[in-house]
Amino acid sequence: MTIEETTEAPAAAGSGAAVPGSATTTSRAFDVERTLAALTLEEKASLLSGLDFWTTQPVGRDDVAVPGVMVTDGPHGLRKQAESPDHLGLGTSVPATCFPPAATLGSTWDPALLRRVGEALGRETRVNDVAVLLGPGINIKRSPLNGRNFEYLSEDPVVSGELGAALVDGIQSQGVGTSLKHFAANNQEADRMRVSADVDERTLREIYLPGFERVVKRAQPWTVMCSYNKINDVYASQNHWLLTEVLRDEWGFEGLVVSDWGAVRDRVAAVAAGLDLEMPASGGRTDAEVVAAVRAGTLDEAVVDVAARRVLHLVARSLPALDAAAASGEDFDVESHHALAREAAAAGTVLLKNDAVLDELDQQGTPLLPLASAEGVAVVGELARTPRYQGAGSSQVNPTRLDDALSALRTATGAEVPFAAGYTVDGADAGSGTDADALRDEAVEVARAAGTVLVFLGLPASYESEGFDRAHMDLPAEQVAVLEAVAAVNPRVVVVLANGSAVSVASWQRLAPAVVEGWLGGQAGGSAVADVLLGTVNPAGRLAETIPLRLEDNPSYGNFPGELGHVRYGEGLLVGYRWYDARQADVAYPFGHGLSYTTFAYDGVAAEVLRPASGADDDADAAVVRVTVTVTNTGERQGAEVVQVYVGDPESQVQRPERELKAFAKVDLEPGASREVTLDLVGRDLAYWHPVLRRWVVEGGEFVVSVGSSSRDLRGAATVVVEGEDVRLPLEPLSTVAEAMAHPVVGPRVQALVHGGAVADDMLGMIGDMPLTVVADFGMGGFDRDGLTALLAEANG
């Protein structure tokens, strides 16, 4: 077929928004089915791998015209390399807004804000002629040592799923696609290209897959990117259960599955499993393997057609927005995007600690933050002048501009705030030409003369990056030494952190009455943290991951990063706060924690059952339990609170976490204002994955619904009784006596037999765990094999 000329750019398929552009454009639109029918086997196979590192394979001949389109990194900003393309961020890339990475965005707990960030990312993607932005990443933060945690949102799948869906919605509203990654169980960088994540299905279903499921069902990302690793000894790229049975058949995913770059080990097996597009290009080698397999009869050509059709759909749906943007000469607003990046960075900043400080002038005690003015304030720490604002690896963005905190504080206050570098970052010369002792001594003198000292600390890029995991959770020793020296001469210390994953605070936070977790703030992070320190912005960030007291307290400790090609997920469901709560273990700061410059009161926590529940209600709109609470701003300034709803099932027949986050809402309130917050729980929020029935089930009975401002700061709870479903397992010969005694049909008769003298009193403690067939053979239960057969028939009839 020929390229069609149109007079109006059609709307991008599935975009949900009109595509900006001129009224008259030349469209490269093509009919997917007609094109597919016209392709040869070799051409169809060629579509299943890239042309080069970032572009899909075009097809062009007399009656066929399929253009190639570009896909590129990264999750928090466009990384389109203009020259020397590579996958590790070493080549030059076009200027783009570096929004805060996911570690910061996750701490906003604000889907509306993330949708706006997504819209901006989508606009920058579109005007740079890129069809798919490779993100967001929503893998669970299993261990704080994962070197790529800065690219992921949370240790909890509800937070990851809600925020991930908002980002995808926002990006795709601009007529370009996303690539939800890395699917699945990609929770470390060590040996990431071949390690087998050995994890049971229930843990996968309840922890590592639900975030992906939520995004797929709510936002339908154009693509999903498979991970490098194996899952239970099967590479994700050729895992039919993962890519077809779960992703497509169960969740209804409609888009294309693309490999992570270099993740394909067996291209034919991958096509058969449901992987559509291999990236990057293989030089035609794997295309030939696909063709050969079809010719040999080991791969059905219909399977190739399915994958090729998905590639064609991806190309076709991306063309309208790209062509319209090119025709109109559209660009993005650099300043407004920078302002949005600043807003997002401030929203993700978490005030961990803000204790009152007593001094000669203030015997009542006042927190150090917000700063009343710049008078008497000094800054220590090279990171205030040379910001660490994004992670290392493939997600590195070439920012349109870059703010640093020192300049931002000076500009905002109009004062020449004293500064001392204190240390060097990654061994780089701080500009003074002096050694570490001299830098520390200079910091001490600046701090000694100050009323309040802001100490900027954090992780250098060499500590955390794509491609390797962290060796420990500690800050650099030389930075801690500077803090100790400064605190010895000035007790009024505020620590401001810059890091992509949790760091240990237990050994040094006693030295600082105030601690601010700034994460990696993106290109506007310096101005954003100044906004928070000065009180221009009231901090409303909340931790999306637990900060433990010690690395050894983390649930994955001893099972991370594995050995000999395997990593065992031995902690099972007890990831993050679920583990610490189950063990009643102390933590430095709990999941969901974050302070404000105002205070909030919770009143009237209530929960009402609206209807019976079942595990099949995972995507139903109808609520099972309605939770209400009234939140009041009891302080003297505007602020936002994150209301968190946790659910516990104390009577379950299987192990369940003490409590699990199931819903949240961010509420902005003026001083003295109150608002009733209503949050609905559906059946899936009460369900667990039954390891025997292999489906979601809701056991009837009591559930405890707790509402609070963190997993450890619960302000109220309500108990509800929910009518669930019959999850009784059929009785079998190997069912135990205890299971038979609990059976609603035959249980009373079995109890009567056991307690009626059929079993000696001294055997009662032992017999409960014995299989029925053994008891029958021993003649202990009052029935023989024939009697057992009749008993089972009655129970299961």
Side-chain angles (χ1 to χ4, degrees), residues 54 70-76 87 121 125 130-139 148 151-152 164-165 167-169 171-172 176-183 212 215-216 219-227 247 253 255-261 275-277 279 314 317:
W54 300 115
M70 190 175 194
V71 304
T72 194
D73 292 316
H76 60 274
H87 189 45
L121 287 167
T125 300
V130 172
V132 176
L133 187 69
L134 300 176
I138 65 166
N139 292 97
R148 210 170 180 178
E151 278 194 49
Y152 302 138
L167 278 168
V168 170
D169 268 339
I171 294 169
Q172 294 188 170
V176 296
T178 57
S179 195
L180 188 66
K181 63 183 188 180
H182 302 90
F183 191 58
F212 289 95
V215 177
V216 166
Q220 280 292 341
W222 288 12
T223 78
V224 167
M225 183 189 294
C226 82
S227 55
L247 179 61
F253 176 59
L256 171 148
V257 176
V258 60
S259 73
D260 203 342
W261 269 233
L275 182 80
D276 305 304
L277 176 62
M279 290 296 289
L314 175 69
R317 75 191 309 188

Side-chain angles (χ1 to χ4, degrees), residues 8 37 69 206 270 284 405 463 469:
E8 185 175 352
V69 295
E206 295 192 27
Y463 272 50
D469 291 324

Side-chain angles (χ1 to χ4, degrees), residues 181-319:
K181 63 183 188 180
H182 302 90
F183 191 58
N186 179 193
N187 307 107
Q188 65 190 68
E189 292 298 284
D191 204 20
R192 62 174 176 159
M193 292 191 174
R194 60 176 189 172
V195 72
S196 175
D198 297 339
V199 52
D200 67 272
E201 185 177 8
R202 185 178 171 210
T203 298
L204 279 172
R205 294 283 192 169
E206 295 192 27
I207 301 295
Y208 296 102
L209 297 185
F212 289 95
E213 180 182 5
R214 192 173 291 238
V215 177
V216 166
K217 289 183 173 180
R218 294 191 180 186
Q220 280 292 341
W222 288 12
T223 78
V224 167
M225 183 189 294
C226 82
S227 55
Y228 288 116
N229 53 284
K230 301 172 188 172
I231 299 171
N232 298 321
D233 266 337
V234 179
Y235 279 107
S237 61
Q238 55 199 60
N239 193 317
H240 187 274
W241 174 81
L242 183 72
L243 302 184
T244 296
E245 296 173 42
V246 173
L247 179 61
R248 295 189 184 282
D249 297 344
E250 293 185 24
W251 299 351
F253 176 59
E254 299 170 357
L256 171 148
V257 176
V258 60
S259 73
D260 203 342
W261 269 233
V264 176
R265 296 293 169 267
D266 183 331
R267 185 67 185 111
V268 174
V271 172
L275 182 80
D276 305 304
L277 176 62
E278 175 191 23
M279 290 296 289
S282 68
R285 175 182 55 83
T286 59
D287 304 346
E289 292 173 358
V290 171
V291 171
V294 173
R295 301 287 189 218
T298 57
L299 180 66
D300 192 333
E301 187 171 356
V303 175
V304 177
D305 288 349
V306 168
R309 180 181 289 109
R310 291 171 182 155
V311 176
L312 292 172
H313 272 298
L314 175 69
V315 174
R317 75 191 309 188
S318 67
L319 295 179

Side-chain angles (χ1 to χ4, degrees), residues 26 48 94 112 173 215 220 264 279 285 298 394 403 409 489 546 573 586 605 639 766:
T26 299
L48 308 190
V94 300
S173 73
V215 177
Q220 280 292 341
V264 176
M279 290 296 289
R285 175 182 55 83
T298 57
S394 64
D403 297 353
L409 286 165
V489 300
T546 306
L573 303 172
D586 290 335
V605 173
M766 180 189 300

